[in-house]
Amino acid sequence: MDKSMLGDLDNLPEEDKLKMAAMIDQLQIRDSLRMYNALVERCFNDCVDTFKHKSLQKQEESCVRRCAEKFLKHSMRVGMRFAELNQGAATQD
Amino acid sequence: MDKSMLGDLDNLPEEDKLKMAAMIDQLQIRDSLRMYNALVERCFNDCVDTFKHKSLQKQEESCVRRCAEKFLKHSMRVGMRFAELNQGAATQD
Amino acid sequence: MDKSMLGDLDNLPEEDKLKMAAMIDQLQIRDSLRMYNALVERCFNDCVDTFKHKSLQKQEESCVRRCAEKFLKHSMRVGMRFAELNQGAATQD
Amino acid sequence: MAANNNMPSALDKEQIFGMAEKEMEYRVELFNKLTHTCFNKCVENKYKESELNMGENSCIDRCVSKYWHVTNLVGQLLGSGPSGRPPM
Amino acid sequence: MAANNNMPSALDKEQIFGMAEKEMEYRVELFNKLTHTCFNKCVENKYKESELNMGENSCIDRCVSKYWHVTNLVGQLLGSGPSGRPPM
Amino acid sequence: MAANNNMPSALDKEQIFGMAEKEMEYRVELFNKLTHTCFNKCVENKYKESELNMGENSCIDRCVSKYWHVTNLVGQLLGSGPSGRPPM
């Protein structure tokens, strides 16, 4: 999207700014829910492989915990690096 | 979504209830079409591996049929179990 | 969608036809952006496997170029064949 | 988020619709991922038969149950509180 | 679903737009899945060249054709009637 | 696409909203694909620990950087001009 276009947003009446903010909220909710679904799918796939029981076994449960924690830490780190690159703060190696 | 919020839906005028019902219809249509696309992709991937001909070979066609039938039966079973869990009817093993 | 329903579109006032055209534009933009994201993901996955450096190495860069070019040519060919099949112009082998 | 006076404004109503839509999209996506994951884990993909056999059926039941547990467990970790319901 | 009197109401119009949108989304998704699947099946992924060779080209043509047949076959099984068109 | 007179019409406004929405969806999808891809490339998936170790951390940083370069490179090839920004 061109910046000149984004500039036009300042000219929108108050009501439209509210509408835009609501849209952003909605996208963030959808994104969190998708992330949640994707995280469950990943940790289930990596940690659960036997189906002799209906309930999670101890070692499966702790695997899922570590998987989820690790992924969240990873995701935060990626977010920081991504933000740096978006701001042009990246340096070469 | 909090239940108190869903409660508010009862206070919506008739017109909005219709709108909500239409939205649910639309989501179901989209979901069916996505399921259809995903089923085609899966059965194609699992059943078709040689490309010496333009048309489906007999054994590929019967593989696709069995794949689709099996997936639909699977999907129905998952749906029943999922509904039970949603209703808290699940018992431990 | 049933053809009789599409027929109803002709009865829509001018304003709605514009709205429909805008919707199609939006879907095409979304589709292009998704294709772009998917292409980046594929070429990255197939071409980049070592992480000793922050920047792309020469052979990785040329791999990505060939990957993207090849995929675009592939996509155009698929588009032509797909259009033929949609028009019922397909012949048997 | 919804109005307290039981007469939601236009913007509130749009948000209620939007939330309900996201909630349903989430449930559909959960169901779809669960279905595909358990098919991959439990069903033989040579498709020699179109029926699910007994072993596949019991694997599916347990897979759904375990997937549900993982959903609740991850939901707790993501901070949706002590109970095992999805974070909405 | 559409009004019979050729003057669709506001709700009907929204549904017509919605149906058309879903139909287009479906076609786009079908095309995308087909494209990625046939790329996986037919194209060498070392990318030694940026051109598609003859073997790849003929594989692609047949792959698209077979994918189309599978789409129609599954559509029939899902009950869209005797003809081979997608279920809409 | 936007009106020149700084008072966008209803249709223009809908398009501005639509464009902004697509742009944000694109960035979210880019971030998600990047996150999952670099997790696959860099993080040991036996999950013996819940911490990222030093090797994983430096792999992640480089992976993000390389993914960014590939995004820019492909953007250039798709014709978004000489600079390396995504094609919008």
Side-chain angles (χ1 to χ4, degrees):
Chain A
M1 189 158 58
D2 207 270
K3 267 161 197 161
S4 61
M5 221 176 122
L6 270 172
D8 271 349
L9 294 182
D10 293 333
N11 296 314
L12 295 177
E14 201 54 35
E15 183 205 356
D16 289 330
K17 281 179 193 163
L18 279 175
K19 215 175 131 191
M20 183 68 87
M23 182 191 82
I24 293 173
D25 280 354
Q26 297 279 326
L27 286 176
Q28 281 175 340
I29 290 168
R30 188 169 68 184
D31 185 41
S32 312
L33 291 173
R34 280 192 184 161
M35 201 274 277
Y36 174 50
N37 266 328
L39 183 53
V40 169
E41 186 184 30
R42 172 183 290 276
C43 296
F44 182 89
N45 266 319
D46 287 349
C47 294
V48 183
D49 264 318
T50 61
F51 298 97
K52 294 186 191 158
H53 303 277
K54 258 178 116 173
S55 54
L56 275 188
Q57 302 303 290
K58 271 276 159 292
Q59 83 281 8
E60 290 170 332
E61 188 176 320
S62 55
C63 178
V64 167
R65 280 181 196 280
R66 287 191 298 260
C67 169
E69 285 176 30
K70 212 164 181 176
F71 188 86
L72 292 174
K73 283 167 193 161
H74 166 74
S75 182
M76 279 176 51
R77 189 171 188 103
V78 170
M80 288 190 307
R81 295 296 162 263
F82 190 66
E84 285 169 14
L85 288 166
N86 265 307
Q87 292 156 20
T91 53
Q92 295 300 313
D93 56 340
Chain B
M1 191 158 57
D2 207 273
K3 268 162 195 160
S4 62
M5 218 174 123
L6 270 171
D8 271 350
L9 295 181
D10 293 334
N11 296 315
L12 295 177
E14 200 56 34
E15 183 205 355
D16 289 330
K17 283 180 191 162
L18 280 174
K19 215 176 131 191
M20 183 68 86
M23 183 193 80
I24 292 172
D25 280 354
Q26 296 279 326
L27 286 176
Q28 282 176 341
I29 290 168
R30 188 170 68 184
D31 185 42
S32 313
L33 290 173
R34 281 192 183 161
M35 200 275 278
Y36 174 50
N37 265 328
L39 183 53
V40 168
E41 186 185 30
R42 172 182 290 276
C43 297
F44 183 88
N45 266 319
D46 287 350
C47 294
V48 183
D49 264 318
T50 61
F51 297 96
K52 293 187 191 158
H53 302 276
K54 260 178 115 172
S55 53
L56 277 187
Q57 302 303 291
K58 271 277 159 289
Q59 85 281 10
E60 290 170 331
E61 188 177 320
S62 55
C63 178
V64 168
R65 281 180 195 279
R66 287 191 298 258
C67 168
E69 284 176 30
K70 212 164 180 174
F71 188 86
L72 292 174
K73 282 166 194 162
H74 167 75
S75 181
M76 278 176 53
R77 189 171 188 102
V78 170
M80 287 189 307
R81 294 297 162 262
F82 190 66
E84 286 168 13
L85 289 165
N86 265 307
Q87 293 157 19
T91 54
Q92 296 299 313
D93 57 339
Chain C
M1 192 158 57
D2 206 272
K3 268 161 195 162
S4 61
M5 220 176 122
L6 271 170
D8 272 349
L9 295 181
D10 294 333
N11 296 315
L12 296 175
E14 200 55 34
E15 183 204 356
D16 289 330
K17 282 181 192 163
L18 280 174
K19 215 176 131 192
M20 183 69 86
M23 183 191 81
I24 293 172
D25 280 354
Q26 297 277 327
L27 286 176
Q28 281 176 340
I29 290 168
R30 188 169 70 184
D31 184 42
S32 312
L33 291 173
R34 281 192 183 160
M35 200 275 278
Y36 174 50
N37 265 329
L39 184 52
V40 169
E41 186 185 31
R42 171 182 292 276
C43 296
F44 183 88
N45 265 320
D46 287 349
C47 293
V48 183
D49 265 316
T50 62
F51 298 97
K52 294 187 191 157
H53 303 276
K54 259 178 114 172
S55 56
L56 275 188
Q57 303 302 292
K58 272 277 159 289
Q59 85 281 8
E60 289 170 333
E61 187 177 320
S62 56
C63 178
V64 167
R65 281 180 195 282
R66 285 190 299 258
C67 169
E69 284 177 31
K70 212 163 179 174
F71 188 86
L72 292 174
K73 282 167 193 162
H74 167 74
S75 182
M76 279 176 52
R77 189 171 188 103
V78 170
M80 287 191 306
R81 293 298 161 262
F82 190 66
E84 286 169 12
L85 288 165
N86 265 308
Q87 292 156 19
T91 52
Q92 297 298 315
D93 57 337
Chain D
M1 189 171 280
N4 291 325
N5 56 6
N6 288 336
M7 286 291 287
S9 72
L11 193 59
D12 282 339
K13 274 200 294 190
E14 214 161 284
Q15 287 187 335
I16 292 174
F17 280 129
M19 290 293 287
E21 199 178 7
K22 299 296 168 293
E23 163 85 3
M24 279 183 269
E25 281 178 1
Y26 158 74
R27 293 199 175 281
V28 166
E29 194 180 292
L30 168 57
F31 179 75
N32 288 345
K33 280 183 184 297
L34 161 56
T35 303
H36 285 280
T37 300
C38 291
F39 196 85
N40 293 337
K41 295 266 188 192
C42 294
V43 180
E44 171 275 323
N45 71 349
K46 296 289 167 236
Y47 309 116
K48 286 172 197 157
E49 304 191 27
S50 62
E51 297 299 319
L52 297 165
N53 63 43
M54 239 178 57
E56 287 168 337
N57 273 330
S58 90
C59 179
I60 292 165
D61 292 352
R62 289 161 182 168
C63 182
V64 173
S65 169
K66 284 193 166 186
Y67 200 96
W68 182 261
H69 285 126
V70 171
T71 302
N72 289 341
L73 182 54
V74 173
Q76 282 171 38
L77 295 173
L78 290 180
S80 66
S83 92
R85 70 185 282 286
M88 284 256 351
Chain E
M1 187 170 279
N4 291 325
N5 57 6
N6 289 335
M7 286 291 286
S9 73
L11 192 60
D12 282 338
K13 273 201 293 190
E14 215 162 282
Q15 288 188 335
I16 293 174
F17 280 129
M19 290 292 287
E21 200 178 6
K22 299 297 168 293
E23 163 86 4
M24 280 184 270
E25 281 177 1
Y26 158 74
R27 293 199 175 279
V28 166
E29 193 180 292
L30 167 58
F31 180 74
N32 288 345
K33 281 185 183 296
L34 162 56
T35 302
H36 285 280
T37 300
C38 290
F39 196 85
N40 292 337
K41 295 267 188 191
C42 294
V43 179
E44 171 275 323
N45 72 348
K46 297 287 168 237
Y47 309 116
K48 287 173 196 156
E49 305 191 25
S50 62
E51 296 299 319
L52 297 165
N53 63 42
M54 238 179 56
E56 288 169 336
N57 273 330
S58 90
C59 179
I60 292 164
D61 292 352
R62 288 161 183 170
C63 181
V64 174
S65 168
K66 283 193 167 188
Y67 201 95
W68 182 261
H69 285 125
V70 171
T71 302
N72 289 341
L73 183 53
V74 173
Q76 283 171 37
L77 294 174
L78 290 181
S80 67
S83 93
R85 72 185 283 285
M88 285 257 351
Chain F
M1 190 170 280
N4 291 325
N5 57 5
N6 288 336
M7 286 290 285
S9 72
L11 192 60
D12 282 339
K13 274 201 292 190
E14 214 161 285
Q15 287 187 335
I16 293 174
F17 281 129
M19 289 292 287
E21 199 178 7
K22 300 296 167 294
E23 163 85 5
M24 279 183 268
E25 282 177 0
Y26 159 75
R27 293 199 174 280
V28 166
E29 193 180 295
L30 168 57
F31 179 75
N32 289 345
K33 281 182 183 297
L34 162 56
T35 303
H36 285 280
T37 299
C38 291
F39 195 85
N40 292 337
K41 296 267 188 192
C42 293
V43 180
E44 172 274 323
N45 72 348
K46 297 288 169 235
Y47 309 116
K48 288 173 195 154
E49 306 190 25
S50 62
E51 297 298 320
L52 296 165
N53 63 44
M54 238 179 57
E56 287 169 336
N57 273 330
S58 90
C59 179
I60 292 164
D61 293 352
R62 288 162 183 168
C63 182
V64 174
S65 168
K66 283 192 168 188
Y67 200 96
W68 183 262
H69 285 126
V70 171
T71 302
N72 289 342
L73 182 53
V74 172
Q76 282 171 38
L77 294 174
L78 290 181
S80 66
S83 93
R85 72 185 281 286
M88 286 261 343

